[in-house]
Amino acid sequence: MVSQGGDRQIEFAVAGSPDSELVVKVPESRTAARTIKARYRDFFCAPAAGGCGEPLTFAIGEINVPHFRHKADTRCRLTASAEARDQYTHLAIQTALKQWIDAMPGYSARLEVAIERARTDVFVTGPGFRCCLEVQRSPLDPGEAEARTARYLAGAGAVDWLFEKQNNAAHREILYRRGYSFRVGYRFRDTSCRLGVSYLAWQDGARTEKVTGGPLSDWTITADGLHSKHLEVARAAYAELLRQEQALEEARRKAEEDERRARAEAQRRREEDARKAREAQSALLAAEPVHPPGAGGILDCRSVLSGSPKQIAWASTIRSSMVAQLKVHAGQPWLDFSEATKVARWMDGHTQARWWIELFSGDRDLEDLFQRYEQIYGRIEGRPVL
């Protein structure tokens, strides 16, 4: 927005000259405002923040709150807007970073340095290396951050992004890709700048996000970029997170493998039990002579049932009924005495009263018995549905 000045109230300015990097924010107190006005005297709309570079009047009245304003007929795009706050805060952070870096022996910093058709916020020259610091307060797409990083690396060995807000998409992408992402904050009240690091950690059996940080004095810059005790904490926490998640994944895989082996073993045991049952049945049949028609005693079940007295009485009745029905059909073309004897011996092998009660109680009859028998020994050739 471009409008004529004179009545616009502005919250920020730079002190000393238009090219100054000293950002001033109007304090709430008139006393504090008068102190700042007396200390710096001259205030300007900063071109570095997108302003016009013209002088600003520091108005401190008794009715209106203290504010800066352009002189009459000044045309400028910056007003008392969120954009102005963003631009001046960005500049204040850049300035704080530059002053901190310049104070370190063997280090220097420049602002807004052009590299490969892009401009890096803070270009750092250290002992034998160069790196870039990018201050990001506004939303940024991860793809754009990656493209800009690639351009900056043409002139620097490392690029660190410093995000103010944790919901920035580029910040989230970096955080989840490497386990940590740098943060930055600035407080005009005491002109303090702090660096921090958001990182992923393992807590209470799950991933969580934490933040640590401190004043610029806690930090240094190496050929790999920013470094501090806070970064070491973040890296150690993320390494522990990866170890915990790997252990959890290995435990999950082991549990799945144990379950698979248990199922395979259960199946093997079922097949082994069925084989032993068939072998026992075959051995029993080999020891029993096959009686001709009329000698149905071989079809009787002689085994002693186990269970409670009531269960045994009930199961005995069911078994006797089945034996009687078996004798009726024995000797028919589809059920010679040899096959009927096999069925009888199979029946005789079931000595638990509960088995008979659960299988044949209610409306179940010889058809149910034959179906259970055929599940193990195969279909009886030519057997009709009974």
Side-chain angles (χ1 to χ4, degrees):
M1 174 180 178
V2 178
S3 61
Q4 294 188 352
D7 59 347
R8 289 172 298 153
Q9 297 183 358
I10 301 173
E11 190 179 11
F12 297 92
V14 290
S17 70
D19 297 328
S20 170
E21 296 169 351
L22 179 58
V23 178
V24 176
K25 180 180 181 293
V26 177
E28 297 179 359
S29 164
R30 287 184 173 82
T31 300
R34 292 189 182 97
T35 300
I36 292 175
K37 185 175 182 179
R39 179 185 303 169
Y40 299 113
R41 300 181 62 86
D42 297 322
F43 303 92
F44 296 84
C45 183
C52 61
E54 293 297 319
L56 295 175
T57 299
F58 198 168
I60 308 175
E62 296 302 325
I63 299 177
N64 295 328
V65 297
H67 62 276
F68 295 107
R69 65 166 178 254
H70 286 90
K71 294 182 179 180
D73 299 327
T74 300
R75 297 181 64 82
C76 182
R77 62 185 297 272
L78 282 181
T79 62
S81 64
E83 181 184 6
R85 173 181 290 273
D86 180 75
Q87 295 287 354
Y88 275 101
T89 303
H90 188 277
L91 178 59
I93 294 173
Q94 286 180 288
T95 300
L97 293 173
K98 182 179 185 305
Q99 292 174 348
W100 164 60
I101 295 166
D102 287 340
M104 291 190 290
Y107 286 77
S108 64
R110 289 181 292 155
L111 305 184
E112 301 296 332
V113 174
I115 302 177
E116 292 290 320
R117 302 182 307 279
R119 301 182 71 84
T120 182
D121 288 330
V122 183
F123 187 78
V124 182
T125 301
F129 68 87
R130 295 177 296 180
C131 71
C132 297
L133 301 180
E134 278 299 294
V135 178
Q136 193 64 38
R137 302 185 66 251
S138 58
L140 180 65
D141 178 76
E144 174 63 19
E146 184 177 355
R148 286 166 57 181
T149 298
R151 290 197 292 268
Y152 297 145
L153 287 174
V159 178
D160 281 334
W161 288 86
L162 314 179
F163 296 95
E164 184 182 59
K165 299 179 177 62
Q166 66 177 6
N167 60 353
N168 194 304
H171 161 70
R172 309 302 298 177
E173 192 278 331
I174 293 174
L175 175 65
Y176 282 97
R177 171 165 48 84
R178 70 180 184 185
Y180 66 90
S181 180
F182 292 114
R183 304 288 298 281
V184 67
Y186 188 84
R187 191 165 57 188
F188 280 98
R189 184 173 66 252
D190 55 5
T191 63
S192 63
C193 183
R194 294 172 62 88
L195 289 177
V197 54
S198 292
Y199 61 97
L200 300 177
W202 185 261
Q203 182 174 312
D204 298 330
R207 277 191 173 207
T208 188
E209 183 177 335
K210 295 185 176 183
V211 180
T212 184
L216 295 179
S217 58
D218 285 354
W219 296 76
T220 187
I221 302 178
T222 70
D224 296 324
L226 290 168
H227 189 268
S228 76
K229 60 184 179 182
H230 307 294
L231 180 58
E232 291 298 323
V233 168
R235 285 174 171 169
Y238 185 59
E240 178 62 20
L241 164 68
L242 295 181
R243 284 193 293 269
Q244 292 289 349
E245 290 187 336
Q246 182 179 4
L248 197 64
E249 176 63 17
E250 290 175 355
R252 183 190 64 81
R253 291 178 179 176
K254 183 179 184 302
E256 290 181 351
E257 178 63 18
D258 290 346
E259 183 179 356
R260 184 192 65 78
R261 289 179 177 176
R263 289 197 300 267
E265 177 63 16
Q267 178 64 24
R268 186 195 66 78
R269 289 180 179 178
R270 286 193 295 269
E271 293 174 354
E272 179 69 11
D273 291 344
R275 182 187 64 79
K276 290 180 179 179
R278 290 192 294 270
E279 291 177 353
Q281 184 75 6
S282 298
L284 180 62
L285 294 175
E288 292 282 359
V290 177
H291 288 229
I298 189 63
L299 302 182
D300 290 331
C301 291
R302 305 182 183 89
S303 60
V304 178
L305 294 173
S306 63
S308 67
K310 184 177 181 180
Q311 289 176 330
I312 292 174
W314 188 2
S316 297
T317 301
I318 296 173
R319 188 171 70 172
S320 297
S321 174
M322 294 300 156
V323 169
Q325 295 182 55
L326 181 64
K327 290 180 178 180
V328 170
H329 296 284
Q332 296 189 26
W334 60 272
L335 186 64
D336 59 27
F337 270 90
S338 176
E339 188 68 39
T341 301
K342 293 179 182 180
V343 177
R345 296 287 70 76
W346 171 74
M347 292 168 58
D348 203 28
H350 291 284
T351 60
Q352 291 188 354
R354 182 183 295 276
W355 186 86
W356 288 94
I357 295 170
E358 291 178 350
L359 182 63
F360 297 109
S361 61
D363 297 330
R364 297 177 183 266
D365 53 19
L366 193 63
E367 173 66 23
D368 298 287
L369 183 140
F370 275 123
Q371 288 181 4
R372 180 63 66 91
Y373 175 83
E374 290 171 340
Q375 289 176 1
I376 302 175
Y377 298 103
R379 177 76 176 174
I380 299 176
E381 188 66 30
R383 183 182 71 80
V385 177
L386 302 178

